[in-house]
Amino acid sequence: MVTVLSGQIRTILERLRQMIARVAQANLSPRKLALTVALGVTLGIIPVIWGSSLLCIAVAWLFRLNHACIQIVNYLSYPLQIALFLAFYRLGDRFFPSFAMVHSAAGGGTIMEGIVHAGSATLKAVGAWLAVAPLTTLFLYLILVPVFQKMQRRHLAGAAAQA
């Protein structure tokens, strides 16, 4: 069971490496590719299930980024998004403590109060994400630029050696 799982993980990582190599060959500068990946991850971890794909489309169009690349990174960020949900909800509660749930006088909440609470909790989580997103994007960008520059140099050296 473990060997099958490790084989699948190796296959996924190899496919990911091949996709990155193809994207790197698509005439994207290392800086543009780093920005695409950084924004794809940042948008991919937004604490709203339905919003990241639409945001990636808009951001890719606005900044003239590679649509396929940003969506691939967005989808690969999904496990991280799920892992960070609770963290963003807790951080949102810390940032916006006065935005509390409304309780009924009888002690039992109505369905409408539950909906309002869920909506306000999500807004708080998105507010926390908005506070963290610029730093996340900058951090990832600064790390990824040298990585992609090195990948580009290796690719160009390999292409020159073959010629």
Side-chain angles (χ1 to χ4, degrees):
M1 173 84 169
V2 173
T3 57
V4 171
L5 186 59
S6 68
Q8 290 174 341
I9 291 172
R10 267 191 249 118
T11 303
I12 290 170
L13 291 175
E14 179 58 26
R15 286 183 182 169
L16 179 60
R17 189 194 64 74
Q18 289 171 356
M19 281 191 297
I20 290 172
R22 272 187 254 131
V23 169
Q25 294 170 357
N27 294 329
L28 285 175
S29 71
R31 291 183 183 279
K32 196 84 152 182
L33 183 58
L35 181 61
T36 303
V37 172
L39 286 170
V41 170
T42 302
L43 295 171
I45 63 171
I46 189 170
V48 178
I49 294 287
W50 51 266
S52 61
S53 293
L54 297 174
L55 285 173
C56 284
I57 291 169
V59 167
W61 177 80
L62 183 66
F63 292 111
R64 300 188 194 292
L65 302 174
N66 185 300
H67 287 270
C69 183
I70 200 168
Q71 288 297 349
I72 288 169
V73 173
N74 172 37
Y75 294 143
L76 290 173
S77 300
Y78 185 70
L80 187 58
Q81 178 190 34
I82 298 302
L84 291 174
F85 256 89
L86 187 57
F88 280 124
Y89 277 80
R90 286 186 175 165
L91 190 59
D93 272 339
R94 290 205 175 175
F95 283 174
F96 311 104
S98 63
F99 225 33
M101 182 176 154
V102 178
H103 293 283
S104 68
T110 65
I111 292 174
M112 191 61 190
E113 288 172 347
I115 292 170
V116 168
H117 173 65
S120 68
T122 301
L123 284 175
K124 288 196 262 185
V126 170
W129 173 81
L130 284 169
V132 173
L135 296 174
T136 303
T137 304
L138 180 63
F139 176 75
L140 289 172
Y141 177 78
L142 292 174
I143 287 174
L144 291 172
V145 166
V147 170
F148 291 141
Q149 286 173 337
K150 186 176 181 178
M151 284 177 65
Q152 183 185 42
R153 282 192 300 272
R154 281 186 182 173
H155 176 71
L156 292 175
Q162 287 179 352

